């Protein structure tokens, strides 16, 4: 068998997330149907991770197996013809048979966008905040994430993971325009709902409802009820997934 990585992006507005759902459309199922149609057999696809309902991806990676060697450019072209307009494939690369899109990823990067002024062109892809925020204080709080590895406080309850440990590599707010900000966070792995919970808790800091030391205590309590509300998914984007070079053939 030959294994391939698919590099794709998607607008998550019309999907119930990446993972196949019993009662709604998912990106994984849509991609599997397109691949199965093109290759004329049932194809299983494994993604680099899950995204929640409404969350977008500028770059998602998934893998699949096939019993003959494929031309990546041909597969890319055929898939883009079969897929709906809100999913695009950028490339298909052959990898080692044991390569795994999820378990071999060394880092994942997410961005969360907010805007503080009414903008009809941002409303579907950025979260509007009505109160003024102290972004300097929010960045101060974000830096404390580097001091911890157990992020139980930011994890969705009752998940089936073996550990809630993650290694944060980057976490910062940056202004991108007049009244427009983006939070970038990179880690070796993320827990279910983690980024949205982190952002929601940082916004509490920005509103003056939580101090930087209070943010630390939220992490240390390892209790989801201590953290802030999860922010809406439509402003969250998976933007990068990294792998060791030696996986590729």
């Amino acid at each position: 068998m030959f294994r391939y990585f698919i590099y794709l992006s998607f607008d998550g507005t019309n999907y119930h997330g990446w993972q196949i759902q019993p009662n709604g459309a998912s990106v994984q199922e849509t991609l599997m149907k397109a691949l199965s149609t093109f290759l004329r057999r049932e194809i299983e696809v494994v993604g680099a991770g899950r995204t929640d309902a409404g969350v977008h991806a500028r770059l998602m990676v998934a893998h699949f197996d096939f019993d003959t060697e494929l031309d990546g450019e041909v597969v890319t072209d055929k898939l883009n013809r079969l897929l709906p307009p809100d999913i695009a494939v950028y490339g298909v690369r052959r990898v080692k048979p044991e390569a795994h899109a999820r378990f071999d990823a060394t880092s994942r990067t997410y961005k969360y966008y907010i805007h503080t002024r009414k903008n009809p062109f941002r409303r579907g892809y950025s979260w509007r905040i009505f109160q003024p925020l102290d972004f300097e204080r929010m960045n101060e709080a974000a830096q404390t994430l580097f001091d911890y590895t157990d992020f139980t406080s930011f994890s969705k309850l009752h998940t089936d993971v073996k550990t809630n440990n993650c290694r944060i590599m980057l976490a910062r707010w940056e202004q991108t325009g007049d009244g427009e900000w983006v939070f970038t966070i990179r880690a070796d792995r993320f827990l279910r709902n983690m980024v949205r919970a982190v952002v929601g808790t940082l916004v509490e800091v920005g509103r003056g409802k939580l101090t930087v030391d209070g943010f630390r205590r939220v992490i240390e309590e390892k209790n989801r009820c201590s953290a802030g509300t999860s922010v809406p998914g439509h402003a969250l984007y998976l933007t990068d997934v990294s792998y060791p070079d030696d996986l590729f053939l």
Side-chain angles (χ1 to χ4, degrees), residues 122-180:
R122 293 280 183 265
R123 60 190 173 90
Y125 301 96
S126 175
W127 182 39
R128 187 182 178 192
I129 298 281
F130 292 87
Q131 303 93 338
L133 297 177
D134 185 339
F135 286 96
E136 185 175 342
R137 189 62 55 84
M138 291 160 68
N139 264 332
E140 186 180 345
Q143 294 309 296
T144 68
L145 292 167
F146 299 111
D147 298 334
Y148 301 91
T149 55
D150 188 331
F151 294 104
T152 300
S153 293
F154 301 127
S155 174
K156 187 174 182 178
L157 296 174
H158 311 303
T159 56
D160 57 357
V161 297
K162 295 179 180 178
T163 175
N164 287 334
N165 288 354
C166 309
R167 183 170 62 89
I168 304 295
M169 305 169 183
L170 173 69
R172 68 168 178 249
W173 289 93
E174 295 176 298
Q175 187 167 11
T176 57
D178 187 10
E180 297 176 0

Side-chain angles (χ1 to χ4, degrees), residues 5 94-100 104-105 243-249:
F5 274 11
R94 189 179 160 202
V95 294
K96 292 180 177 178
E98 67 274 13
H100 198 285
D104 285 328
Y243 296 94
D245 290 339
D246 60 7
L247 290 184
F248 300 92
L249 297 175

